[in-house]
Amino acid sequence: MVNIYSSRKLYIPLRTKLLTSYILLVLFPIIVIGSYTYYKTAHSAEQEMRNSLAVTLTQYGTQVEYRVNDIIRSSDAIFDDQVLSRNLAGYYLGGERHRIMTEYILPKMESAILLPNTQVMISLYIDKPTIGEFYYEEREEYLRDGSRLYGIMYTDRIKDEEWYKKLDLTYDEQLWEQVGKDKQYDNISLLRNVIDYEILQKIGLLKITVKMRDIFEDFDLSNLGEGTKLVVVDHNQQYLYSSNMTKEEYDPSLLQSSKQYLQMTEVVDSMPIQVIALVPKKSLKEGSLQVRNITILICFISLIIAVFISFVISKFFTLRFSKLVYSLQAFTEGDFNKRIYYSGHDEFRQISEAFNEMASTIQTQIDEIYISKLETKEAELQILHAQINPHFLYNTFSSISRMAKLGEVDKLNDMILKLAKFYRLTLNKGEMIIPISKEIEIIKAYLDIQNLKYGDRIVVTYEIDDSLLQQETVKFILQPFVENVLEHAWYDDQIHIRLVISHKEDRIILAIEDNGLGMTEHTIKGIIGTSESAIGYGIRNVDQRIKLHYGTEYGVHIESIVGEGTVIKLMIPYAH
């Protein structure tokens, strides 16, 4: 053998070449990714979080605005109705008062209370008793749980209450205030004057009461981060509502805790309130999802650049690896004459020489050992298959002979035709592997012959998964077991046979069940056993054929209970 190290040409070890490529591949991405991640984390994490919180809070404010405007529209239906205004300002007697109330005023109130999506309680207070009162009972459950109610009452009922005395509304002013029992039951009321449009004078007061939760609930705090507090306050920063903080827990000083919390505020224009989110700054410093995603993106881009650089720099090396890969692929495809020819002066020269020597050795071993074993295996399969047909043919000819002696000519003719069909299916151009559908045809042809012989006393049930019909199996593996049932298990007037074909994970299971005599555990071991005293030649034959073709993990499995019947399971691989 030529000593490749004796050459005077420069020898560069493969390890040195790979180390150079490794430095170029790793150093560049580390510098780029590390620098960019540090810059992005330091300068943009908090700003991105602020933007996200601002969008979320704006969405919540819009939702509150929509609900408030919905209630205001209900008040507009009463405030803007000039016909209602004239009816409330007029003076009526007896039947006229009743007609005005029932035909216009009460239907208008009913319509107004149904306008908003939320439940509201509308109270219309009239300064002069021009019409009769129509009021609801102010029960605790109404105030606590909310309800759709409306009433018309005289202002005298509230004129002595402090909130009413302090009330100073202009012509079309609207005021959201907690009055009466609102604070006690977490309610809030919309207050506005009722106007006589002919003289532009106040003739009463409209009060629409709604539950706080109906305006401010259903807000998902998860988008604001863990530990976030959300509170709704009035223009004096007094507590109105919070979904995760009680009134007792609220402290106005929290709004000044700039070191501990990031404060975000959203103003609702149609209601003089502020929605304030207090986000712990600690949560901002924890792993930022956006920074992580950007980092991954940058790493991916850097990886592409690194791969490109690696491709350009290491192209020289990959050409030599390709020769080895192509030769190995040729081996997998059965071409054992492939050799590597390399004229370099490094480790690849050693690899190519070792590969060529190994290829020659393997080719010799395959020619001498592997091919001969394959031929032996094929011969064994042919011999085992050939051993089954004569056994069945002998039994069938015995039945034909018996029919001839008894003079059953029609039955004899039918038997011969069915036998011819059976052998046409089993011969099948000498193929050893057939679809399961063809194996089922064989067993059905066999049972046709047997039912002719036994006078339709064989009851057969088929449960077959149609998706398995095109899966392949060794030919002629079901008939010996059905024949074994008819010869050894039958003890009653009829025999019931059930053929089930299914699959479980990577196996197809062909099961033959009967309700015959059954077998003892000793008999089962004798059938599957390999000793000279073993019984059940046909069953062992099928088991050996399956194992020879598919491997020892497949084959025949027997389960039996004496007096109840037997289940034979043939297991073959499932092709996905």
Side-chain angles (χ1 to χ4, degrees):
M1 181 181 292
V2 179
N3 187 351
I4 63 174
Y5 298 102
S6 62
S7 174
R8 293 185 178 182
K9 293 183 179 181
L10 180 62
Y11 175 79
I12 302 176
L14 180 61
R15 182 172 61 181
T16 303
K17 299 173 185 177
L18 293 177
L19 182 60
T20 303
S21 299
Y22 176 80
I23 293 174
L24 292 173
L25 286 170
V26 174
L27 189 60
F28 177 78
I30 287 178
I31 294 174
V32 172
I33 295 170
S35 300
Y36 189 86
T37 302
Y38 175 80
Y39 172 82
K40 191 65 180 178
T41 303
H43 294 83
S44 67
E46 183 173 344
Q47 186 59 42
E48 291 295 332
M49 189 64 170
R50 283 177 178 271
N51 293 340
S52 176
L53 293 175
V55 170
T56 303
L57 204 58
T58 299
Q59 291 174 347
Y60 178 57
T62 302
Q63 182 179 347
V64 172
E65 188 91 35
Y66 172 78
R67 293 178 179 179
V68 170
N69 289 335
D70 193 33
I71 297 170
I72 292 175
R73 281 193 296 271
S74 178
S75 72
D76 288 341
I78 297 175
F79 179 82
D80 295 337
D81 194 325
Q82 296 186 21
V83 176
L84 177 64
S85 172
R86 287 196 300 270
N87 289 333
L88 293 175
Y91 182 80
Y92 308 98
L93 296 174
E96 184 68 11
R97 173 187 291 192
H98 180 267
R99 185 183 66 80
I100 290 297
M101 282 287 287
T102 57
E103 291 184 4
Y104 192 83
I105 297 177
L106 294 183
K108 188 64 180 181
M109 297 293 289
E110 181 75 25
S111 174
I113 204 172
L114 295 175
L115 277 178
N117 291 321
T118 55
Q119 294 188 123
V120 296
M121 293 184 288
I122 299 179
S123 300
L124 181 59
Y125 295 96
I126 305 301
D127 292 343
K128 296 179 180 180
T130 57
I131 59 173
E133 288 186 310
F134 180 89
Y135 56 88
Y136 57 86
E137 234 183 292
E138 202 173 63
R139 296 181 183 176
E140 181 180 356
E141 59 265 26
Y142 295 159
L143 298 173
R144 184 184 65 247
D145 302 328
S147 184
R148 288 187 185 273
L149 298 170
Y150 67 89
I152 302 172
M153 293 157 279
Y154 299 144
T155 309
D156 291 343
R157 292 178 176 270
I158 58 173
K159 66 179 182 179
D160 295 328
E161 295 190 22
E162 285 298 319
W163 67 267
Y164 184 74
K165 292 178 180 179
K166 296 178 181 179
L167 197 62
D168 185 19
L169 294 175
T170 60
Y171 165 73
D172 60 349
E173 183 180 357
Q174 302 174 17
L175 177 65
W176 287 93
E177 193 77 44
Q178 286 186 305
V179 299
K181 298 180 180 179
D182 284 351
K183 288 187 178 181
Q184 181 181 350
Y185 294 103
D186 290 327
N187 296 335
I188 192 168
S189 296
L190 171 64
L191 306 174
R192 63 191 305 183
N193 289 328
V194 180
I195 304 299
D196 182 349
Y197 287 97
E198 293 183 355
I199 59 174
L200 294 180
Q201 294 292 323
K202 172 181 172 296
I203 60 172
L205 177 70
L206 176 64
K207 180 167 77 79
I208 300 180
T209 303
V210 63
K211 299 297 295 181
M212 288 278 203
R213 65 167 184 265
D214 289 341
I215 300 178
F216 302 114
E217 70 175 356
D218 298 333
F219 183 64
D220 185 8
L221 290 178
S222 61
N223 294 331
L224 296 178
E226 185 177 354
T228 298
K229 301 179 184 298
L230 186 77
V231 61
V232 180
V233 299
D234 61 16
H235 57 282
N236 294 320
Q237 292 193 337
Q238 296 300 309
Y239 177 95
L240 289 178
Y241 181 83
S242 175
S243 59
N244 61 348
M245 184 193 311
T246 65
K247 185 175 181 179
E248 290 73 22
E249 294 172 338
Y250 172 70
D251 183 358
S253 63
L254 286 173
L255 305 183
Q256 311 302 323
S257 303
S258 58
K259 293 183 178 181
Q260 185 179 0
Y261 292 99
L262 169 65
Q263 180 176 322
M264 307 289 291
T265 302
E266 179 70 19
V267 177
V268 179
D269 295 331
S270 58
M271 191 178 191
I273 61 167
Q274 293 179 326
V275 181
I276 300 175
L278 300 173
V279 185
K281 288 190 174 181
K282 181 180 179 181
S283 65
L284 296 176
K285 296 179 182 179
E286 295 175 353
S288 172
L289 180 61
Q290 183 174 358
V291 171
R292 185 195 69 182
N293 292 339
I294 292 176
T295 301
I296 293 174
L297 178 62
I298 297 302
C299 288
F300 181 71
I301 295 174
S302 299
L303 179 62
I304 293 176
I305 296 173
V307 169
F308 176 74
I309 294 174
S310 175
F311 175 78
V312 173
I313 296 177
S314 64
K315 185 176 181 180
F316 177 78
F317 306 124
T318 57
L319 291 174
R320 285 150 180 77
F321 278 116
S322 296
K323 288 185 178 181
L324 181 59
V325 170
Y326 293 151
S327 299
L328 290 174
Q329 287 177 342
F331 263 44
T332 61
E333 294 169 1
D335 181 7
F336 300 104
N337 296 314
K338 192 71 174 178
R339 298 294 182 269
I340 300 177
Y341 299 99
Y342 180 71
S343 58
H345 298 274
D346 56 18
E347 286 88 342
F348 281 103
R349 176 69 176 270
Q350 292 177 296
I351 292 173
S352 63
E353 290 180 351
F355 177 85
N356 292 339
E357 185 176 348
M358 177 190 68
S360 298
T361 303
I362 291 175
Q363 185 176 12
T364 301
Q365 291 177 343
I366 288 174
D367 290 340
E368 295 178 355
I369 301 172
Y370 182 69
I371 293 178
S372 63
K373 284 188 176 181
L374 287 178
E375 291 174 349
T376 302
K377 177 180 176 181
E378 182 65 25
E380 288 178 0
L381 284 170
Q382 293 287 354
I383 291 169
L384 287 171
H385 179 68
Q387 290 172 343
I388 294 179
N389 286 338
H391 177 68
F392 166 67
L393 188 60
Y394 171 79
N395 289 339
T396 305
F397 277 138
S398 296
S399 299
I400 291 173
S401 175
R402 187 165 54 254
M403 291 178 188
K405 289 178 182 179
L406 295 174
E408 298 175 336
V409 178
D410 293 338
K411 197 172 182 181
L412 176 63
N413 181 64
D414 202 6
M415 174 73 81
I416 293 172
L417 291 175
K418 292 184 182 298
L419 180 63
K421 177 184 177 182
F422 174 77
Y423 269 94
R424 176 173 55 80
L425 291 169
T426 56
L427 292 175
N428 196 32
K429 300 179 182 179
E431 295 177 354
M432 297 298 297
I433 303 299
I434 62 173
I436 288 177
S437 60
K438 196 160 285 187
E439 181 68 13
I440 293 171
E441 288 183 34
I442 291 173
I443 198 62
K444 286 182 177 180
Y446 171 78
L447 285 169
D448 285 343
I449 294 172
Q450 296 301 330
N451 257 325
L452 190 64
K453 176 180 175 182
Y454 291 105
D456 294 326
R457 290 187 295 138
I458 305 171
V459 180
V460 184
T461 303
Y462 297 94
E463 295 181 16
I464 300 169
D465 185 345
D466 291 340
S467 65
L468 303 176
L469 291 178
Q470 297 308 312
Q471 293 279 327
E472 292 186 339
T473 179
V474 178
K475 185 174 70 174
F476 215 66
I477 59 174
L478 293 176
Q479 185 272 340
F481 295 98
V482 176
E483 182 178 4
N484 194 61
V485 171
L486 300 179
E487 289 188 5
H488 303 292
W490 198 339
Y491 70 92
D492 205 348
D493 185 55
Q494 283 187 332
I495 185 74
H496 291 260
I497 299 174
R498 181 167 168 254
L499 176 62
V500 181
I501 299 179
S502 60
H503 82 92
K504 183 178 182 181
E505 296 177 355
D506 60 346
R507 295 191 174 201
I508 296 176
I509 301 172
L510 297 89
I512 301 137
E513 304 177 13
D514 67 73
N515 63 338
L517 289 170
M519 293 180 283
T520 63
E521 190 67 28
H522 177 74
T523 304
I524 295 173
K525 290 180 180 178
I527 292 173
I528 300 298
T530 57
S531 64
E532 294 181 0
S533 59
I535 59 176
Y537 168 78
I539 295 176
R540 288 199 310 282
N541 184 299
V542 172
D543 186 54
Q544 291 170 8
R545 291 168 64 213
I546 293 175
K547 283 180 166 57
L548 272 172
H549 193 80
Y550 296 117
T552 55
E553 66 268 31
Y554 302 99
V556 178
H557 178 72
I558 302 176
E559 300 174 1
S560 186
I561 300 176
V562 177
E564 294 187 14
T566 302
V567 179
I568 306 288
K569 293 182 179 179
L570 289 71
M571 284 168 279
I572 61 175
Y574 173 71
H576 293 276

